[in-house]
Amino acid sequence: MNTTMQFWSWFKDNNKAYLFLHSVDNDVKEQLLDNFFQQLHQYCDNIYFEIGGNPDKDQELIITAEGNEKYFDKVEELVNAAPQIVGWTFIAFKPSIPGHFKSQWGDLELNTEDMWFVPLSNNNNSDLGIRVLLRNYDLIKESETLTPLLYKMLDTILGEKSFALNIAYVETNLQPDDPEQEDGMYPILELSEYIERHKSQTTQSSG
């Protein structure tokens, strides 16, 4: 297995090609991505990456464990060892992305504007679960892509690390006609704020 130093030494020598991923031919792009995966997996074969950003700004290299807590330390170790390289910003874990969005997986599409949640508390510990309420749940509840799409969206709403560490359980159910009139129901984009309140209350009660 390679060390962090070996990975970053390779990336220093090859990074300029990755600044132009968005504009090269598909064949070249696939070869570059394959090379990157090979180098990254020589360091740890359970972490992954995303490259993107505005062409007029620094490109972002996100190192991710795809929510697998066992490899969070490998992600942090690698990003913490990153050198300064002109044109690049290095990020540990997929960050949260603010604002409403739609996400699609096959024929299934979900919109955060139509998603609410109910917190589920566990009397035995501080773990937090959520019940996600969906407007057209009866039509989509049998879909094989519902759970993976929902998890992907929660990853985007909270960020990879927060979703993995702060949400212990997720279930789904039908949304009532007027969720804003129901006590204890919150728009899905308020989930991050609710987590912070929950953590604060848990700390106070255990202190």
Side-chain angles (χ1 to χ4, degrees):
M1 300 296 280
N2 281 356
T3 63
T4 58
M5 189 179 299
Q6 287 171 309
F7 173 80
W8 289 118
S9 176
W10 169 83
F11 188 72
K12 254 186 173 178
D13 292 340
N14 294 275
N15 79 91
K16 289 185 179 175
Y18 292 91
L19 289 171
F20 299 96
L21 268 185
H22 62 281
S23 58
V24 298
D25 292 340
N26 278 340
D27 290 347
V28 176
K29 183 176 182 179
E30 284 185 22
Q31 186 60 55
L32 287 168
L33 294 175
D34 285 346
N35 290 345
F36 197 110
F37 263 120
Q38 287 177 19
Q39 294 296 325
L40 184 64
H41 285 175
Q42 283 177 31
Y43 163 71
C44 175
D45 58 9
N46 287 282
I47 64 175
Y48 306 89
F49 73 99
E50 295 179 2
I51 293 176
N54 190 315
D56 300 324
K57 299 181 180 178
D58 279 4
Q59 290 297 282
E60 294 179 346
L61 171 58
I62 298 170
I63 303 297
T64 169
E66 296 293 352
N68 190 334
E69 295 174 50
K70 288 196 296 186
Y71 299 99
F72 278 11
D73 59 336
K74 301 298 286 184
V75 171
E76 290 170 336
E77 179 185 46
L78 187 65
V79 174
N80 288 340
Q84 284 195 326
I85 301 177
V86 173
W88 287 97
T89 298
F90 304 114
I91 300 170
F93 310 109
K94 287 183 280 188
S96 63
I97 299 175
H100 283 294
F101 63 95
K102 296 177 183 179
S103 193
Q104 189 164 355
W105 193 315
D107 295 333
L108 179 63
E109 181 180 270
L110 295 178
N111 185 342
T112 55
E113 292 183 351
D114 300 329
M115 298 166 64
W116 289 63
F117 77 95
V118 174
L120 305 173
S121 59
N122 184 332
N123 293 329
N124 297 323
N125 56 43
S126 61
D127 285 350
L128 176 65
I130 57 170
R131 178 182 298 123
V132 179
L133 304 172
L134 303 167
R135 184 180 293 176
N136 56 342
Y137 182 66
D138 286 340
L139 299 175
I140 63 175
K141 63 183 179 181
E142 302 299 333
S143 171
E144 293 181 358
T145 57
L146 176 57
T147 297
L149 179 59
L150 179 58
Y151 275 54
K152 181 182 172 189
M153 294 180 75
L154 291 170
D155 216 36
T156 300
I157 292 166
L158 297 177
E160 174 184 356
K161 192 172 184 182
S162 177
F163 179 40
L165 298 181
N166 294 319
I167 300 297
Y169 173 73
V170 179
E171 67 177 38
T172 52
N173 211 327
L174 179 64
Q175 187 182 122
D177 290 337
D178 295 305
E180 61 273 11
Q181 303 299 324
E182 302 280 345
D183 193 32
M185 293 184 185
Y186 306 89
I188 197 70
L189 293 193
E190 292 183 13
L191 181 54
S192 184
E193 184 182 327
Y194 184 88
I195 288 171
E196 291 308 311
R197 288 204 306 272
H198 175 77
K199 287 164 71 173
S200 176
Q201 292 166 359
T202 301
T203 302
Q204 290 173 8
S205 63
S206 62

